[in-house]
Amino acid sequence: MPPLLHRWTPFAVIVLVVLFALMSSATPSPLYVDYQALWGTSGTMITVVFAAYCVAVLVPLIFLGRLSDAVGRRPVVMAGMALVGLSMVGMALSTGVGGLIAARVIQGVGVGLVTGAAGAALVELHPRRDARIGALVNGTTLNSGMAVGVLLAGFIAAWSAQPLVYPYVVIAAVSFALVVAVAVLVPETAGGGTTTLRQALRPQRLSVPPAARGTFVLASMCVVVSWSVGGVYLGLGGALVKDLMGRSDYLVTAMVIATLQGASAVSQLVWNLRFGTDDHRRGVVWGSVLVVSGLAAASLAVALRSAAGFVSAMAVVGLGMGLTFLMASTLAARGVPDEVRGSVLSTFFVVAYLALGLPAVLAAFLSEFLGLTGAYHLLAAVVALIAITATVIISRPGALDGGSDPASGAQA
């Protein structure tokens, strides 16, 4: 293998691992409406399937976050991708909601294992060990993976005789192939250090130092704005499209979600390269403005029953989503001592994944009383209010001075 290609191959393999792990998480999204019709279940129960994944991801992030430090990155990444592949097989064979929930739990654990270990490996395997590039690739791959995953699932479902089987078969085959690729092409970069297996299996303590709690509150508000919107569309995108168009459409559902997630990835990449991650005030303001204006445009498109307007609004919302998440993830670690950064980030991702899953379930539950359109308008208004509040807080003079307490809420 040529020297240049040899240096970049392990890094590229791990990028593909992260990409396909996140692709798998979005694969069921265009198909939820079919499950609901096939099994005669409520929209709330279908979103519970989505929320089960969000909760399951937290298990390895909280309880197994340091596992790859003790046993190495490769075995953890390989185990994670093997679980992702098995979950795809489980979804393809599911005959009821229980089986689908079980498969999503397995998938969540697998994606959680991959997220922690592969995130560290991206930095360690970069030929120049560039932490900024590794973190940027890891962050943008999250949204772009979901975008590509939902598009692939929608395309395969639209053109196959068994739309609830073949999308999973494709992702399962690639997942198992990547297990082999990691084993053959990726060298070990960790393990054998001072972290013992017993230490690695201890749950990470969820806490935030008092001096950083104000900033953490602001970071939490931003991630709630970003991930709650993403969760609603991942869980209810198919139902929204069906309500908008009067029929199910795999490709339109996929386009809505992919536009949202793809725009989010683009905004993070462009902002990071243009401004870096230190201009939090400008990032939060612009992100909030884009989210609020995009949600308003989307609500108008729903009222006018315009599918094209809805997709266009999703692009605007996605741009804002990406910025608010980028600012949230950097604000969460702002001014935090090294010795407690792990626990702070674990707490941050607990907030993030709860924001991803719970609003989707809440929206589905409310839709049984208010209708899907009414529930969507209400949720959009709540998210917009949180975004506006975050903008007001960070716009105050001295809000970020010293990296502490912009919300004047150290007691929060």
Side-chain angles (χ1 to χ4, degrees):
M1 188 179 295
L4 181 62
L5 184 60
H6 179 78
R7 292 199 305 272
W8 282 97
T9 296
F11 180 81
V13 170
I14 296 299
V15 171
L16 288 175
V17 164
V18 177
L19 182 70
F20 273 90
L22 273 301
M23 283 175 63
S24 77
S25 71
T27 299
S29 292
L31 313 176
Y32 284 138
V33 173
D34 280 12
Y35 287 123
Q36 187 177 351
L38 179 65
W39 297 331
T41 59
S42 66
T44 302
M45 183 56 66
I46 289 298
T47 54
V48 168
V49 175
F50 171 73
Y53 162 81
C54 303
V55 175
V57 171
L58 295 175
V59 174
L61 291 178
I62 296 173
F63 293 94
L64 303 174
R66 301 176 64 195
L67 183 61
S68 67
D69 294 332
V71 303
R73 313 292 186 215
R74 286 203 319 164
V76 175
V77 169
M78 291 166 63
M81 287 308 293
L83 288 175
V84 168
L86 289 174
S87 72
M88 294 291 100
V89 174
M91 290 183 203
L93 299 176
S94 292
T95 57
V97 172
L100 205 58
I101 289 176
R104 285 290 270 175
V105 169
I106 294 171
Q107 182 189 39
V109 174
V111 172
L113 288 173
V114 169
T115 300
L122 281 172
V123 176
E124 296 160 354
L125 290 170
H126 190 276
R128 297 187 300 274
R129 294 183 69 88
D130 190 325
R132 180 172 175 267
I133 296 299
L136 178 60
V137 170
N138 193 37
T140 54
T141 301
L142 186 149
N143 295 108
S144 58
M146 290 185 182
V148 176
V150 76
L151 278 176
L152 180 64
F155 181 82
I156 295 173
W159 296 100
S160 66
Q162 294 181 286
L164 300 183
V165 174
Y166 286 118
Y168 302 121
V169 171
V170 172
I171 300 295
V174 176
S175 298
F176 291 129
L178 285 172
V179 173
V180 177
V182 171
V184 174
L185 298 174
V186 177
E188 186 54 76
T189 57
T194 58
T195 303
T196 65
L197 183 59
R198 183 176 179 179
Q199 291 172 329
L201 294 177
R202 292 175 183 168
Q204 295 192 55
R205 184 168 174 262
L206 300 179
S207 64
V208 179
R213 286 177 186 168
T215 306
F216 186 85
V217 169
L218 179 58
S220 297
M221 293 174 69
C222 290
V223 81
V224 166
V225 168
S226 178
W227 283 37
S228 62
V229 173
V232 167
Y233 288 109
L234 284 168
L236 294 174
L240 284 167
V241 169
K242 184 177 180 180
D243 189 69
L244 193 66
M245 301 181 64
R247 60 182 174 84
S248 297
D249 192 305
Y250 298 122
L251 290 178
V252 175
T253 300
M255 189 177 300
V256 168
I257 300 173
T259 299
L260 185 77
Q261 298 293 339
S264 181
V266 169
S267 67
Q268 290 183 65
L269 179 62
V270 172
W271 189 275
N272 204 316
L273 294 176
R274 177 65 178 84
F275 300 107
T277 57
D278 294 329
D279 195 348
H280 298 101
R281 181 171 285 107
R282 185 189 299 182
V284 171
V285 170
W286 271 104
S288 298
V289 168
L290 288 168
V291 167
V292 172
S293 58
L295 288 174
S299 291
L300 180 61
V302 168
L304 297 176
R305 308 192 71 78
S306 170
F310 192 66
V311 173
S312 300
M314 287 304 95
V316 179
V317 175
L319 293 172
M321 273 178 55
L323 286 184
T324 51
F325 176 66
L326 181 63
M327 296 302 106
S329 58
T330 53
L331 277 169
R334 180 185 172 91
V336 176
D338 292 343
E339 61 270 17
V340 295
R341 183 170 286 115
S343 64
V344 171
L345 291 179
S346 294
T347 307
F348 172 75
F349 276 105
V350 168
V351 175
Y353 276 100
L354 290 176
L356 187 67
L358 293 182
V361 177
L362 179 61
F365 176 75
L366 290 175
S367 69
E368 297 182 11
F369 303 95
L370 304 176
L372 188 60
T373 301
Y376 171 77
H377 289 322
L378 177 60
L379 187 73
V382 172
V383 172
L385 180 61
I386 298 173
I388 292 169
T389 303
T391 301
V392 171
I393 290 172
I394 202 167
S395 298
R396 287 163 44 192
L400 295 176
D401 290 350
S404 63
D405 211 7
S408 298
Q411 75 280 4

